[in-house]
Amino acid sequence: MLVPPEARFQSLLPLLARHRHRIPLLAGSCCTVVYVGTLPLLAQVAGPLLPAIGGGTFQEALRIVAVTMAVFLVHKMAQYGQDTLFAGPALQVSQALRQTVFARLQRLALPALEKLSSGDLAYRLTEDGDRVGEVIYKTLHDSTPSALSLVAVLGYMSLLDGPLTAATLLLAPVMVGLVGWFGRKVLRASERSQVQVSALASLLAEAVGGLHLVRAFASEDWLQQRFARQIDRHCRARAHTLELVAVQHPVVGFLQATGILAILLLGAWRIHTGSLTAEQFSSYGIALLMLIDPISHLTANFNEFQQGQASLRRLRALEQEPLEPPDPPRPLSLGKVRGELRFEDVHFSHTPSQRLFQDLTLHVRPGQLVALVGASGAGKSTLFSLLLRFNIPQQGRILLDDKDLCHVRAAELRRQMALVPQDALLFSGTVAETIDFGRGHSPAAIRHAAQLANAEAFILAMGGYGARIEERTTNLSGGQRQRLAIARAVVGDPAVLLLDEATSALDAETEAAVQQGLKRAMAGRTVLVIAHRLATVQGADQILVLEKGVIVEQGSHQQLLSRAGRYEELCRQQLIHTR
């Protein structure tokens, strides 16, 4: 299978060219020139050594050894220089690639993002990113010098004896073809192996997050068996790759040894016929031996290159996923927002066959509290995603203070619409960092938001706004997480608050504390709340009953009860007094 151009390593050259430190690249390249150039020189200065030893001229042999060691020292110093100088640029390219992929990941359309596994994404951005960086580094400090060394040494060998070198080159097509065939096999095997590793990473992410649930159901054996099966699949895929590499080395090595012996025999015949001197053949033999190391390196690196190409393809595949709707070329400024919302004949569907909203019309006045109720799949969460412009309607308009959301920058819009999700996800860090969420608010604004959310008391009990929140918020209760989520939402003083039933999973005492925070946070704002428990929204200005994207009922709690329709039926199901 051919690799698309964007998944080839050539696509990373612009990243290398933009490396912020050009001097290491230039200095490393100079070291490579010295490293490659000293190889033919080594063969030339060491060539007379064997005839000198055979002739018994010790002083001459000592001189040759001293000169050879001096050249060899320069050769190895140049190798050290290129290896160290190229490390920085290679790591920089890997880092830039990771940042590019992660930046795109943050802009993916929500449907595309939701279908991606978190474990697989973590593997791509860590292990696959590392493998790409290693291949870049080996290409700079090993593969490229090895290839140049082959050219330089073969050029020197041609000057010594053209016919003998021509015979040597007869093996080249066989070697290249064999290495290429193995390389293609290794690429396909590596891709299968990496898919299995990604599946294993996904399973690990699920397992770590759900170990308490597994223990609660005494399902440890089931999880252990599932983990064992996934490990077995990975081991089989990895073993196949290693088997290919294991077969390649002896096959290629046998061909190399056979070729060298054949060349030695041919050289002996050339000396016998007087076409070549013993000193020349000694230099030629040393040069021939010098070919073994770069050929071995290129063979091994080619396998790693194929594995790295599989990793690069997996990273680049994320760049093919669709992005969220772009900002308009000439965006409108929202200015001071009052919080008036209008849906005008809105049509939206996730897919052509999955229609949701048709001719949705809705008016929310500034400062109103509007509750959205209905069964799962009715369109409540999709309505929130349209307001936040995660999705855009296929027809119709959504207006904030008479300004079409499609004509406003997403970042400016989302500063005026704050979301409090049902399951509050908080990042690790200090309390202040969690509330600020990278938006640069002042300590005073952060503290005011915490006070609004009824969170300051427990924050001070934790040790203040510099106290650490641990990974997965293990040092916080559910109510504390929700109040911090409320503080995070209101710290920027948004005009519109979107609540996804932030108290549905809390006990009565904790819910009271969170409801108090919500009441303060909602004051003076337009609020839309997805209500799973109708008892929490009886005081709403408007209650919208949604069914399959259609508002089937609309009004206050008492108005809807008096109609004895769908809302009254839902209230009876939840044992709410309706008379």
Side-chain angles (χ1 to χ4, degrees), residues 208-229:
V208 171
L211 277 179
H212 65 289
L213 192 62
V214 172
R215 291 181 185 176
F217 283 88
S219 298
E220 290 93 342
D221 290 342
W222 165 80
L223 183 59
Q224 188 69 39
Q225 291 169 8
R226 188 176 172 189
F227 186 68
R229 286 194 299 270

PDB file of all heavy atoms in Angstrom, residues 208-229:
ATOM      1  N   VAL A 208      -8.103   1.522  34.237  1.00  0.00           N
ATOM      2  CA  VAL A 208      -7.667   2.381  35.342  1.00  0.00           C
ATOM      3  C   VAL A 208      -8.815   3.269  35.816  1.00  0.00           C
ATOM      4  O   VAL A 208      -9.018   3.475  37.018  1.00  0.00           O
ATOM      5  CB  VAL A 208      -6.454   3.238  34.916  1.00  0.00           C
ATOM      6  CG1 VAL A 208      -6.136   4.287  35.969  1.00  0.00           C
ATOM      7  CG2 VAL A 208      -5.242   2.345  34.673  1.00  0.00           C
ATOM      8  N   GLY A 209      -9.595   3.786  34.861  1.00  0.00           N
ATOM      9  CA  GLY A 209     -10.714   4.649  35.232  1.00  0.00           C
ATOM     10  C   GLY A 209     -11.871   3.900  35.871  1.00  0.00           C
ATOM     11  O   GLY A 209     -12.683   4.502  36.576  1.00  0.00           O
ATOM     12  N   GLY A 210     -11.967   2.592  35.632  1.00  0.00           N
ATOM     13  CA  GLY A 210     -13.123   1.834  36.121  1.00  0.00           C
ATOM     14  C   GLY A 210     -12.799   0.728  37.091  1.00  0.00           C
ATOM     15  O   GLY A 210     -13.613  -0.177  37.294  1.00  0.00           O
ATOM     16  N   LEU A 211     -11.595   0.757  37.699  1.00  0.00           N
ATOM     17  CA  LEU A 211     -11.222  -0.324  38.618  1.00  0.00           C
ATOM     18  C   LEU A 211     -12.174  -0.424  39.814  1.00  0.00           C
ATOM     19  O   LEU A 211     -12.482  -1.526  40.282  1.00  0.00           O
ATOM     20  CB  LEU A 211      -9.792  -0.121  39.112  1.00  0.00           C
ATOM     21  CG  LEU A 211      -8.676  -0.623  38.183  1.00  0.00           C
ATOM     22  CD1 LEU A 211      -7.312  -0.334  38.776  1.00  0.00           C
ATOM     23  CD2 LEU A 211      -8.822  -2.115  37.909  1.00  0.00           C
ATOM     24  N   HIS A 212     -12.634   0.716  40.313  1.00  0.00           N
ATOM     25  CA  HIS A 212     -13.558   0.669  41.452  1.00  0.00           C
ATOM     26  C   HIS A 212     -14.858  -0.034  41.075  1.00  0.00           C
ATOM     27  O   HIS A 212     -15.439  -0.783  41.866  1.00  0.00           O
ATOM     28  CB  HIS A 212     -13.845   2.087  41.951  1.00  0.00           C
ATOM     29  CG  HIS A 212     -14.567   2.953  40.968  1.00  0.00           C
ATOM     30  ND1 HIS A 212     -13.950   3.426  39.820  1.00  0.00           N
ATOM     31  CD2 HIS A 212     -15.851   3.408  40.931  1.00  0.00           C
ATOM     32  CE1 HIS A 212     -14.825   4.154  39.131  1.00  0.00           C
ATOM     33  NE2 HIS A 212     -15.973   4.144  39.778  1.00  0.00           N
ATOM     34  N   LEU A 213     -15.322   0.186  39.825  1.00  0.00           N
ATOM     35  CA  LEU A 213     -16.548  -0.466  39.358  1.00  0.00           C
ATOM     36  C   LEU A 213     -16.330  -1.962  39.163  1.00  0.00           C
ATOM     37  O   LEU A 213     -17.193  -2.786  39.489  1.00  0.00           O
ATOM     38  CB  LEU A 213     -16.992   0.183  38.038  1.00  0.00           C
ATOM     39  CG  LEU A 213     -18.397  -0.163  37.541  1.00  0.00           C
ATOM     40  CD1 LEU A 213     -19.447   0.315  38.541  1.00  0.00           C
ATOM     41  CD2 LEU A 213     -18.635   0.469  36.177  1.00  0.00           C
ATOM     42  N   VAL A 214     -15.143  -2.311  38.644  1.00  0.00           N
ATOM     43  CA  VAL A 214     -14.816  -3.728  38.454  1.00  0.00           C
ATOM     44  C   VAL A 214     -14.820  -4.457  39.795  1.00  0.00           C
ATOM     45  O   VAL A 214     -15.380  -5.554  39.933  1.00  0.00           O
ATOM     46  CB  VAL A 214     -13.438  -3.873  37.767  1.00  0.00           C
ATOM     47  CG1 VAL A 214     -12.993  -5.326  37.736  1.00  0.00           C
ATOM     48  CG2 VAL A 214     -13.492  -3.321  36.350  1.00  0.00           C
ATOM     49  N   ARG A 215     -14.231  -3.835  40.811  1.00  0.00           N
ATOM     50  CA  ARG A 215     -14.215  -4.456  42.140  1.00  0.00           C
ATOM     51  C   ARG A 215     -15.620  -4.548  42.726  1.00  0.00           C
ATOM     52  O   ARG A 215     -15.959  -5.531  43.389  1.00  0.00           O
ATOM     53  CB  ARG A 215     -13.316  -3.653  43.075  1.00  0.00           C
ATOM     54  CG  ARG A 215     -11.834  -3.747  42.726  1.00  0.00           C
ATOM     55  CD  ARG A 215     -10.990  -2.943  43.692  1.00  0.00           C
ATOM     56  NE  ARG A 215      -9.595  -2.939  43.283  1.00  0.00           N
ATOM     57  CZ  ARG A 215      -8.640  -2.252  43.891  1.00  0.00           C
ATOM     58  NH1 ARG A 215      -8.941  -1.502  44.945  1.00  0.00           N
ATOM     59  NH2 ARG A 215      -7.393  -2.299  43.464  1.00  0.00           N
ATOM     60  N   ALA A 216     -16.419  -3.505  42.480  1.00  0.00           N
ATOM     61  CA  ALA A 216     -17.773  -3.497  43.029  1.00  0.00           C
ATOM     62  C   ALA A 216     -18.596  -4.666  42.494  1.00  0.00           C
ATOM     63  O   ALA A 216     -19.460  -5.205  43.202  1.00  0.00           O
ATOM     64  CB  ALA A 216     -18.464  -2.176  42.704  1.00  0.00           C
ATOM     65  N   PHE A 217     -18.339  -5.070  41.237  1.00  0.00           N
ATOM     66  CA  PHE A 217     -19.075  -6.180  40.626  1.00  0.00           C
ATOM     67  C   PHE A 217     -18.289  -7.497  40.674  1.00  0.00           C
ATOM     68  O   PHE A 217     -18.702  -8.478  40.061  1.00  0.00           O
ATOM     69  CB  PHE A 217     -19.423  -5.842  39.179  1.00  0.00           C
ATOM     70  CG  PHE A 217     -20.570  -4.890  39.045  1.00  0.00           C
ATOM     71  CD1 PHE A 217     -20.351  -3.522  39.048  1.00  0.00           C
ATOM     72  CD2 PHE A 217     -21.879  -5.348  38.948  1.00  0.00           C
ATOM     73  CE1 PHE A 217     -21.402  -2.627  38.933  1.00  0.00           C
ATOM     74  CE2 PHE A 217     -22.939  -4.463  38.834  1.00  0.00           C
ATOM     75  CZ  PHE A 217     -22.709  -3.107  38.833  1.00  0.00           C
ATOM     76  N   ALA A 218     -17.134  -7.484  41.383  1.00  0.00           N
ATOM     77  CA  ALA A 218     -16.292  -8.680  41.486  1.00  0.00           C
ATOM     78  C   ALA A 218     -15.974  -9.252  40.103  1.00  0.00           C
ATOM     79  O   ALA A 218     -16.024 -10.457  39.880  1.00  0.00           O
ATOM     80  CB  ALA A 218     -16.965  -9.742  42.358  1.00  0.00           C
ATOM     81  N   SER A 219     -15.608  -8.364  39.166  1.00  0.00           N
ATOM     82  CA  SER A 219     -15.358  -8.769  37.779  1.00  0.00           C
ATOM     83  C   SER A 219     -13.872  -8.744  37.431  1.00  0.00           C
ATOM     84  O   SER A 219     -13.503  -8.590  36.270  1.00  0.00           O
ATOM     85  CB  SER A 219     -16.129  -7.843  36.822  1.00  0.00           C
ATOM     86  OG  SER A 219     -17.509  -7.944  37.030  1.00  0.00           O
ATOM     87  N   GLU A 220     -13.016  -8.911  38.457  1.00  0.00           N
ATOM     88  CA  GLU A 220     -11.577  -8.859  38.213  1.00  0.00           C
ATOM     89  C   GLU A 220     -11.122  -9.934  37.229  1.00  0.00           C
ATOM     90  O   GLU A 220     -10.277  -9.686  36.364  1.00  0.00           O
ATOM     91  CB  GLU A 220     -10.806  -9.017  39.526  1.00  0.00           C
ATOM     92  CG  GLU A 220     -10.918  -7.825  40.468  1.00  0.00           C
ATOM     93  CD  GLU A 220     -12.058  -7.984  41.462  1.00  0.00           C
ATOM     94  OE1 GLU A 220     -12.956  -8.844  41.198  1.00  0.00           O
ATOM     95  OE2 GLU A 220     -12.061  -7.272  42.472  1.00  0.00           O
ATOM     96  N   ASP A 221     -11.663 -11.150  37.352  1.00  0.00           N
ATOM     97  CA  ASP A 221     -11.255 -12.239  36.454  1.00  0.00           C
ATOM     98  C   ASP A 221     -11.614 -11.927  35.006  1.00  0.00           C
ATOM     99  O   ASP A 221     -10.837 -12.189  34.086  1.00  0.00           O
ATOM    100  CB  ASP A 221     -11.913 -13.557  36.877  1.00  0.00           C
ATOM    101  CG  ASP A 221     -11.342 -14.087  38.185  1.00  0.00           C
ATOM    102  OD1 ASP A 221     -10.240 -13.626  38.569  1.00  0.00           O
ATOM    103  OD2 ASP A 221     -11.998 -14.930  38.819  1.00  0.00           O
ATOM    104  N   TRP A 222     -12.805 -11.347  34.815  1.00  0.00           N
ATOM    105  CA  TRP A 222     -13.231 -10.978  33.449  1.00  0.00           C
ATOM    106  C   TRP A 222     -12.288  -9.949  32.853  1.00  0.00           C
ATOM    107  O   TRP A 222     -11.853 -10.082  31.702  1.00  0.00           O
ATOM    108  CB  TRP A 222     -14.654 -10.422  33.501  1.00  0.00           C
ATOM    109  CG  TRP A 222     -15.062  -9.702  32.250  1.00  0.00           C
ATOM    110  CD1 TRP A 222     -15.488 -10.253  31.080  1.00  0.00           C
ATOM    111  CD2 TRP A 222     -15.052  -8.284  32.049  1.00  0.00           C
ATOM    112  NE1 TRP A 222     -15.752  -9.269  30.162  1.00  0.00           N
ATOM    113  CE2 TRP A 222     -15.490  -8.055  30.719  1.00  0.00           C
ATOM    114  CE3 TRP A 222     -14.719  -7.180  32.844  1.00  0.00           C
ATOM    115  CZ2 TRP A 222     -15.605  -6.773  30.198  1.00  0.00           C
ATOM    116  CZ3 TRP A 222     -14.837  -5.917  32.316  1.00  0.00           C
ATOM    117  CH2 TRP A 222     -15.267  -5.717  31.008  1.00  0.00           C
ATOM    118  N   LEU A 223     -11.920  -8.930  33.649  1.00  0.00           N
ATOM    119  CA  LEU A 223     -11.026  -7.892  33.149  1.00  0.00           C
ATOM    120  C   LEU A 223      -9.627  -8.455  32.903  1.00  0.00           C
ATOM    121  O   LEU A 223      -8.967  -8.114  31.924  1.00  0.00           O
ATOM    122  CB  LEU A 223     -10.965  -6.731  34.150  1.00  0.00           C
ATOM    123  CG  LEU A 223     -10.118  -5.524  33.732  1.00  0.00           C
ATOM    124  CD1 LEU A 223     -10.636  -4.924  32.430  1.00  0.00           C
ATOM    125  CD2 LEU A 223     -10.108  -4.462  34.826  1.00  0.00           C
ATOM    126  N   GLN A 224      -9.173  -9.348  33.808  1.00  0.00           N
ATOM    127  CA  GLN A 224      -7.852  -9.959  33.633  1.00  0.00           C
ATOM    128  C   GLN A 224      -7.794 -10.780  32.345  1.00  0.00           C
ATOM    129  O   GLN A 224      -6.814 -10.733  31.600  1.00  0.00           O
ATOM    130  CB  GLN A 224      -7.535 -10.851  34.837  1.00  0.00           C
ATOM    131  CG  GLN A 224      -6.107 -11.395  34.846  1.00  0.00           C
ATOM    132  CD  GLN A 224      -5.080 -10.309  35.099  1.00  0.00           C
ATOM    133  OE1 GLN A 224      -5.301  -9.411  35.897  1.00  0.00           O
ATOM    134  NE2 GLN A 224      -3.951 -10.373  34.399  1.00  0.00           N
ATOM    135  N   GLN A 225      -8.870 -11.535  32.067  1.00  0.00           N
ATOM    136  CA  GLN A 225      -8.914 -12.340  30.839  1.00  0.00           C
ATOM    137  C   GLN A 225      -8.939 -11.453  29.596  1.00  0.00           C
ATOM    138  O   GLN A 225      -8.283 -11.748  28.594  1.00  0.00           O
ATOM    139  CB  GLN A 225     -10.137 -13.259  30.867  1.00  0.00           C
ATOM    140  CG  GLN A 225     -10.047 -14.373  31.897  1.00  0.00           C
ATOM    141  CD  GLN A 225     -11.369 -15.093  32.086  1.00  0.00           C
ATOM    142  OE1 GLN A 225     -12.321 -14.858  31.340  1.00  0.00           O
ATOM    143  NE2 GLN A 225     -11.429 -15.959  33.096  1.00  0.00           N
ATOM    144  N   ARG A 226      -9.703 -10.378  29.687  1.00  0.00           N
ATOM    145  CA  ARG A 226      -9.769  -9.452  28.547  1.00  0.00           C
ATOM    146  C   ARG A 226      -8.404  -8.809  28.304  1.00  0.00           C
ATOM    147  O   ARG A 226      -7.959  -8.665  27.155  1.00  0.00           O
ATOM    148  CB  ARG A 226     -10.813  -8.378  28.837  1.00  0.00           C
ATOM    149  CG  ARG A 226     -11.101  -7.469  27.663  1.00  0.00           C
ATOM    150  CD  ARG A 226     -12.217  -6.508  28.004  1.00  0.00           C
ATOM    151  NE  ARG A 226     -12.369  -5.513  26.954  1.00  0.00           N
ATOM    152  CZ  ARG A 226     -13.144  -4.439  27.063  1.00  0.00           C
ATOM    153  NH1 ARG A 226     -13.855  -4.239  28.161  1.00  0.00           N
ATOM    154  NH2 ARG A 226     -13.231  -3.567  26.070  1.00  0.00           N
ATOM    155  N   PHE A 227      -7.733  -8.442  29.389  1.00  0.00           N
ATOM    156  CA  PHE A 227      -6.397  -7.864  29.274  1.00  0.00           C
ATOM    157  C   PHE A 227      -5.421  -8.890  28.701  1.00  0.00           C
ATOM    158  O   PHE A 227      -4.588  -8.568  27.845  1.00  0.00           O
ATOM    159  CB  PHE A 227      -5.939  -7.389  30.657  1.00  0.00           C
ATOM    160  CG  PHE A 227      -4.637  -6.645  30.647  1.00  0.00           C
ATOM    161  CD1 PHE A 227      -4.537  -5.396  30.062  1.00  0.00           C
ATOM    162  CD2 PHE A 227      -3.502  -7.189  31.234  1.00  0.00           C
ATOM    163  CE1 PHE A 227      -3.341  -4.701  30.062  1.00  0.00           C
ATOM    164  CE2 PHE A 227      -2.297  -6.506  31.230  1.00  0.00           C
ATOM    165  CZ  PHE A 227      -2.220  -5.252  30.644  1.00  0.00           C
ATOM    166  N   ALA A 228      -5.519 -10.130  29.155  1.00  0.00           N
ATOM    167  CA  ALA A 228      -4.628 -11.190  28.658  1.00  0.00           C
ATOM    168  C   ALA A 228      -4.831 -11.426  27.171  1.00  0.00           C
ATOM    169  O   ALA A 228      -3.856 -11.625  26.423  1.00  0.00           O
ATOM    170  CB  ALA A 228      -4.870 -12.480  29.444  1.00  0.00           C
ATOM    171  N   ARG A 229      -6.086 -11.408  26.721  1.00  0.00           N
ATOM    172  CA  ARG A 229      -6.362 -11.607  25.284  1.00  0.00           C
ATOM    173  C   ARG A 229      -5.763 -10.475  24.461  1.00  0.00           C
ATOM    174  O   ARG A 229      -5.201 -10.701  23.386  1.00  0.00           O
ATOM    175  CB  ARG A 229      -7.874 -11.699  25.037  1.00  0.00           C
ATOM    176  CG  ARG A 229      -8.497 -13.012  25.474  1.00  0.00           C
ATOM    177  CD  ARG A 229      -9.889 -13.174  24.892  1.00  0.00           C
ATOM    178  NE  ARG A 229     -10.796 -12.121  25.327  1.00  0.00           N
ATOM    179  CZ  ARG A 229     -11.556 -12.190  26.425  1.00  0.00           C
ATOM    180  NH1 ARG A 229     -11.499 -13.261  27.205  1.00  0.00           N
ATOM    181  NH2 ARG A 229     -12.366 -11.200  26.755  1.00  0.00           N
TER     182      ARG A 229
END
